[in-house]
Amino acid sequence: YRSSDAFRAKSNTYLVVERGAGFKVSKSGIYVATYEEGGTMQLHVSRDDGRSFLPAVFPSKLQETRYTIMDEDDGTVFISVEHQQKQDALATMANGGVTLGDVYASVADGELLFKDDFENGLTKWRGRHQHSVPEKGRIVKDPLCDKEGEGCRGKVMKMDGCSTEGDAFSLHSFTCSLAFPCKMSMWVLGSPWQGFSEGFPGSHIWTAAGDKKEKGIHKKIVSTDDKWVRVEYVFPRQQSEFTWEEGAKAAAGLRINKVRVMLQAKGKDQYCSATYFDDIRVTRARSEDYVVALRRNTRDILGHVDIHAVGGLDGTLLGNVQTEDESIKTLYSTDNGNEWRPIPPPANSKECVQSRHGKGWQTSTGHECSLQLQGGHKNKGIPKKWEARQHREVERRWGPMLSSPGAVGVMMAVGNVGERLQSRDSELSTFVSRDAGESWALVGPGSSQYDVGDQGTLIVSARNQAPTQHLSFSIDGGVSFRECSFTSGSASIEVKDVLSDPSTSSSNFLLLGATKGSSSSASAVFSVDFSMMLDRDCADADMAGDPGSDFEVWRPHSKSTKGCELGRQVDFLRRKPTARCLVGAKKLPATLERNCECKEADYECDFCYERLGEAEAAAKNKTVGVCSYSCGGEEHSVPTDCRGTYLRSRGYRIIEGDTCQGGLEMGPRRFECPIDRGSGTQYKGK
């Protein structure tokens, strides 16, 4: 049930999903699992605060009954679907609590209907009554370009005053209806109002505004003068909010088929003359379709999934899979799960040798060799909250995979180099990465607990599987580590955790543990402070890369993408390893982004398509890695309700969150609907 007043009044409570078995409210929406015939479950998704639900659609009908939802900051949603168990719960616990599941990724939004970033002026806009230019709108430079700590959006549209019934209208119109909803996104500053209109303006509705009482409002915008805000929502949500198209006018035979974007400033005077719009984008709202991202992914009986999304770097993932011989291996992806590959071993690794052909690494026995990492996560970045989710038994708590949006690029993990993931402390080591998991270096033997501080420049690590008197620390972001004693006398500590500020900006750490006596143990807390060792503040962030600056520019650069991650080059500022200073809580200037030309790496398999492995490719006489049709029925059938034109998939689609422009085109192609010779109409599909 859904209530709009905390279930106080029966009149405000209504049924939204029947036979519900459980639900989760997440960043991307509300997910409800329902009982179906045969003991299976169906997943339903709402993107409008529970007002309506759509069934999640997978490439084939699933028999599984357990789901785990993982939604990322870039809008991608991953769903882990647990395999049906062939063993009972006791047998699963004896196996370390490990179960398996397939991971599915959400399908990106549909075709682009309208887009304008205002770099070419107001060529795509008209004023009221079809005037050649808006009355109040004009093109200016982003007013926050010169503000410290903010990026620059280039040219934007500025409103010079308040309006009513719209000031700027898109020249292009498109269809938005309950059957074909649209997703609206834009960046705004000031007191913006945005809606949809039939003409200039004609019949219209305000859907994103500062007045929540406005009829038809979908998104309330809070006025601001110091920060750009991204607004995103789906329109329309339900029939009552779109009466001017599907209500009274439709009943009178005046149904409106197309709409255009409508903009204005409205509110307090000080905001009206300082209202700005940028990057207006309208796409066809995605259906709840999901495609395969990773098969045989390991998880535990509580639903924790062995996939780690690297903090601060969209699309970079690490995941563990179980092979047919039941060994566990770690894979790495920089394109939101489109392609996965093993992690190269650290330099000077004794367990691996370069293969004869120079591609990949091998063990001394000729098997594939790579870095394998334990699952479990320490999630940082949420103020006043640490979340440590460990797998398997409590007494076997390995150090977690650790990354943070406040320390982009720096990662810590526990694992081993070899053919498969090991499960004994004597076979494991602690590793660090400075490039978001692309390459790793050895910190020390055994499992450890650890944390990062001062935006990634400080790291503290301590062994956690045996009593210890020592900790390891780095003041150069993981380039090197030193060891020191943190206890007095001969007392040793069983380390339970190492913690720093969740925002990753502090130079202080807490080490939590217990002293082990002959018959009892006592809790112990140690404080580690680096402010005396690094006694000055870092300077000249705006001159990053210059010899006199304490900062450098780091660009993620995997071998497969050559500096273009998810269709763009992104630059991050971080302290130089050689600088002896504290970054502190100061906000570093925003990253610089440049879109790249589209190439094959920017595409993933479309819905109903999967990449072929060696065995599947040989059976179908196709190339390994191509996307092949995997659903039942005819591959290129015409929609039964075809009207005018339709899109035919070529097996590929742009990866969710990818922003590449131009270049290689592998997406769907548009075709005209075939003509029915009997009736002469053009929309009868096969």
Side-chain angles (χ1 to χ4, degrees):
Y1 291 85
R2 180 185 186 275
S3 171
S4 58
D5 62 356
F7 295 100
R8 292 186 178 91
K10 185 177 180 180
S11 59
N12 293 324
T13 302
Y14 57 93
L15 179 68
V16 289
V17 179
E18 294 184 295
R19 298 173 60 86
F23 68 91
K24 176 183 178 181
V25 180
S26 67
K27 291 181 291 187
S28 61
I30 302 175
Y31 298 81
V32 177
T34 59
Y35 288 112
E36 303 294 320
E37 294 182 3
T40 61
M41 291 187 184
Q42 170 67 53
L43 193 65
H44 298 263
V45 188
S46 173
R47 307 289 181 189
D48 57 6
D49 298 328
R51 293 178 175 85
S52 61
F53 285 82
L54 290 174
V57 181
F58 298 91
S60 59
K61 186 172 179 58
L62 302 177
Q63 299 299 316
E64 288 77 6
T65 60
R66 289 163 59 93
Y67 302 91
T68 299
I69 311 299
M70 301 166 287
D71 43 4
E72 307 305 326
D73 291 336
D74 65 351
T76 307
V77 179
F78 293 100
I79 298 180
S80 172
V81 183
E82 186 180 70
H83 292 177
Q84 287 186 315
Q85 295 299 304
K86 298 180 180 179
Q87 55 189 10
D88 58 27
L90 291 178
T92 301
M93 289 300 295
N95 189 36
V98 176
T99 64
L100 295 180
D102 293 333
V103 178
Y104 296 83
S106 57
V107 173
D109 294 312
E111 60 181 311
L112 183 66
L113 303 175
F114 177 79
K115 175 186 176 182
D116 194 9
D117 58 8
F118 301 108
E119 295 302 317
N120 294 318
L122 294 172
T123 56
K124 297 182 180 181
W125 300 87
R126 293 293 183 267
R128 291 188 65 193
H129 310 302
Q130 290 189 311
H131 287 173
S132 59
V133 293
E135 179 184 355
K136 305 280 180 69
R138 60 189 178 92
I139 299 299
V140 299
K141 179 184 176 183
D142 176 4
L144 302 186
C145 275
D146 299 325
K147 184 177 179 180
E148 183 177 356
E150 297 291 337
C152 182
R153 303 197 61 84
K155 294 180 181 179
V156 299
M157 178 194 280
K158 179 182 186 297
M159 294 294 179
D160 285 329
C162 289
S163 304
T164 58
E165 295 191 339
D167 182 75
F169 302 84
S170 65
L171 183 61
H172 180 67
S173 60
F174 39 84
T175 299
C176 291
S177 67
L178 291 174
F180 300 99
C182 300
K183 185 172 102 171
M184 175 72 193
S185 67
M186 59 184 175
W187 287 88
V188 296
L189 178 67
S191 184
W193 279 45
Q194 180 270 320
F196 294 93
S197 67
E198 173 195 7
F200 302 90
S203 299
H204 60 276
I205 183 173
W206 293 107
T207 49
D211 186 358
K212 200 169 185 178
K213 297 180 181 179
E214 179 71 22
K215 183 179 179 181
I217 200 74
H218 284 55
K219 191 79 171 181
K220 186 178 186 301
I221 304 176
V222 178
S223 298
T224 175
D225 59 359
D226 60 352
K227 182 180 181 181
W228 282 95
V229 176
R230 188 168 188 264
V231 176
E232 182 178 285
Y233 63 93
V234 174
F235 168 79
R237 290 188 302 200
Q238 59 188 36
Q239 186 167 343
S240 62
E241 295 174 347
F242 208 26
T243 54
W244 61 273
E245 179 193 358
E246 303 190 35
K249 288 216 170 204
L254 299 175
R255 183 179 180 85
I256 300 169
N257 292 318
K258 292 192 174 183
V259 296
R260 58 188 80 244
V261 178
M262 175 175 60
L263 307 175
Q264 71 176 25
K266 185 175 180 180
K268 296 181 180 180
D269 291 340
Q270 68 266 31
Y271 285 117
C272 278
S273 58
T275 293
Y276 303 83
F277 295 88
D278 192 30
D279 198 13
I280 309 290
R281 185 185 296 255
V282 183
T283 58
R284 181 67 63 218
R286 71 182 179 207
S287 57
E288 294 305 328
D289 294 346
Y290 295 83
V291 296
V292 175
L294 187 62
R295 295 285 194 189
R296 297 178 62 82
N297 174 233
T298 55
R299 40 183 287 150
D300 69 9
I301 58 175
L302 298 179
H304 299 152
V305 181
D306 279 335
I307 281 188
H308 182 84
V310 177
L313 205 58
D314 293 343
T316 303
L317 309 168
L318 291 93
N320 285 352
V321 297
Q322 187 180 84
T323 60
E324 293 297 336
D325 63 0
E326 297 190 352
S327 61
I328 296 177
K329 297 186 177 184
T330 302
L331 301 176
Y332 179 68
S333 173
T334 58
D335 52 14
N336 248 345
N338 175 39
E339 293 190 39
W340 297 83
R341 62 184 186 276
I343 304 175
N348 303 320
S349 173
K350 298 179 181 179
E351 295 85 353
C352 298
V353 295
Q354 192 99 34
S355 63
R356 293 181 179 179
H357 303 291
K359 296 181 180 180
W361 299 81
Q362 294 180 341
T363 63
S364 58
T365 57
H367 294 94
E368 185 180 83
C369 187
S370 58
L371 179 64
Q372 320 293 349
L373 300 174
Q374 291 287 344
H377 317 277
K378 178 182 282 186
N379 298 329
K380 293 178 66 80
I382 305 174
K384 300 182 181 179
K385 178 181 179 182
W386 286 275
E387 182 182 357
R389 299 194 309 191
Q390 299 296 333
H391 297 233
R392 305 156 183 81
E393 299 90 339
V394 173
E395 63 268 21
R396 295 174 59 195
R397 286 187 58 189
W398 311 123
M401 290 188 187
L402 169 64
S403 64
S404 170
V408 179
V410 177
M411 293 188 68
M412 296 285 289
V414 169
N416 62 276
V417 177
E419 182 183 354
R420 60 176 62 87
L421 182 63
Q422 302 297 336
S423 57
R424 292 196 295 265
D425 183 61
S426 60
E427 300 172 306
L428 298 173
S429 298
T430 301
F431 298 90
V432 64
S433 173
R434 285 179 43 81
D435 54 11
E438 185 72 24
S439 63
W440 294 77
L442 178 67
V443 176
S447 173
S448 304
Q449 289 289 344
Y450 31 72
D451 211 342
V452 296
D454 195 45
Q455 302 196 40
T457 67
L458 303 176
I459 304 174
V460 171
S461 173
R463 292 285 301 273
N464 72 325
Q465 289 297 307
T468 183
Q469 299 176 317
H470 301 90
L471 61 80
S472 297
F473 69 93
S474 173
I475 60 173
D476 52 19
V479 173
S480 63
F481 282 81
R482 287 184 269 177
E483 191 174 272
C484 73
S485 174
F486 63 90
T487 64
S488 58
S490 59
S492 294
I493 302 297
E494 291 183 340
V495 176
K496 304 298 183 184
D497 210 346
V498 176
L499 298 173
S500 185
D501 174 27
S503 65
T504 326
S505 62
S506 175
S507 61
N508 293 80
F509 293 77
L510 292 179
L511 190 148
L512 313 179
T515 57
K516 196 73 172 178
S518 57
S519 60
S520 63
S521 61
S523 298
V525 179
F526 295 85
S527 175
V528 183
D529 185 4
F530 290 91
S531 60
M532 298 290 288
M533 180 179 290
L534 305 172
D535 56 359
R536 72 177 180 87
D537 294 334
C538 297
D540 299 323
D542 57 339
M543 300 172 61
D546 287 355
S549 174
D550 289 320
F551 295 89
E552 64 181 3
V553 178
W554 172 65
R555 176 180 297 172
H557 191 286
S558 65
K559 294 180 180 179
S560 61
T561 60
K562 298 181 180 180
C564 286
E565 306 289 349
L566 288 180
R568 55 188 176 271
Q569 291 181 339
V570 185
D571 294 339
F572 295 92
L573 297 191
R574 62 183 185 184
R575 198 201 72 181
K576 293 177 180 177
T578 55
R580 294 297 177 260
C581 57
L582 289 174
V583 179
K586 70 178 67 172
K587 184 178 179 181
L588 296 178
T591 58
L592 304 176
E593 297 190 9
R594 290 171 290 277
N595 289 330
C596 306
E597 283 193 349
C598 296
K599 53 188 180 301
E600 188 174 352
D602 295 299
Y603 291 86
E604 62 184 345
C605 293
D606 203 351
F607 184 71
C608 277
Y609 290 81
E610 285 191 50
R611 289 195 182 276
L612 295 180
E614 292 184 6
E616 297 93 338
K620 295 184 178 182
N621 195 26
K622 292 186 176 182
T623 306
V624 175
V626 300
C627 294
S628 178
Y629 188 70
S630 59
C631 290
E634 187 179 345
E635 180 177 359
H636 294 308
S637 59
V638 179
T640 56
D641 58 347
C642 193
R643 295 177 181 272
T645 62
Y646 70 100
L647 291 175
R648 177 186 293 178
S649 177
R650 288 188 277 178
Y652 298 87
R653 63 182 176 88
I654 289 288
I655 296 169
E656 176 88 39
D658 195 296
T659 60
C660 70
Q661 296 178 339
L664 181 63
E665 175 55 55
M666 299 174 65
R669 286 178 175 171
R670 186 170 294 279
F671 291 84
E672 289 188 359
C673 295
I675 297 175
D676 182 1
R677 300 299 180 185
S679 63
T681 57
Q682 195 194 18
Y683 49 83
K684 184 175 180 180
K686 296 180 181 179

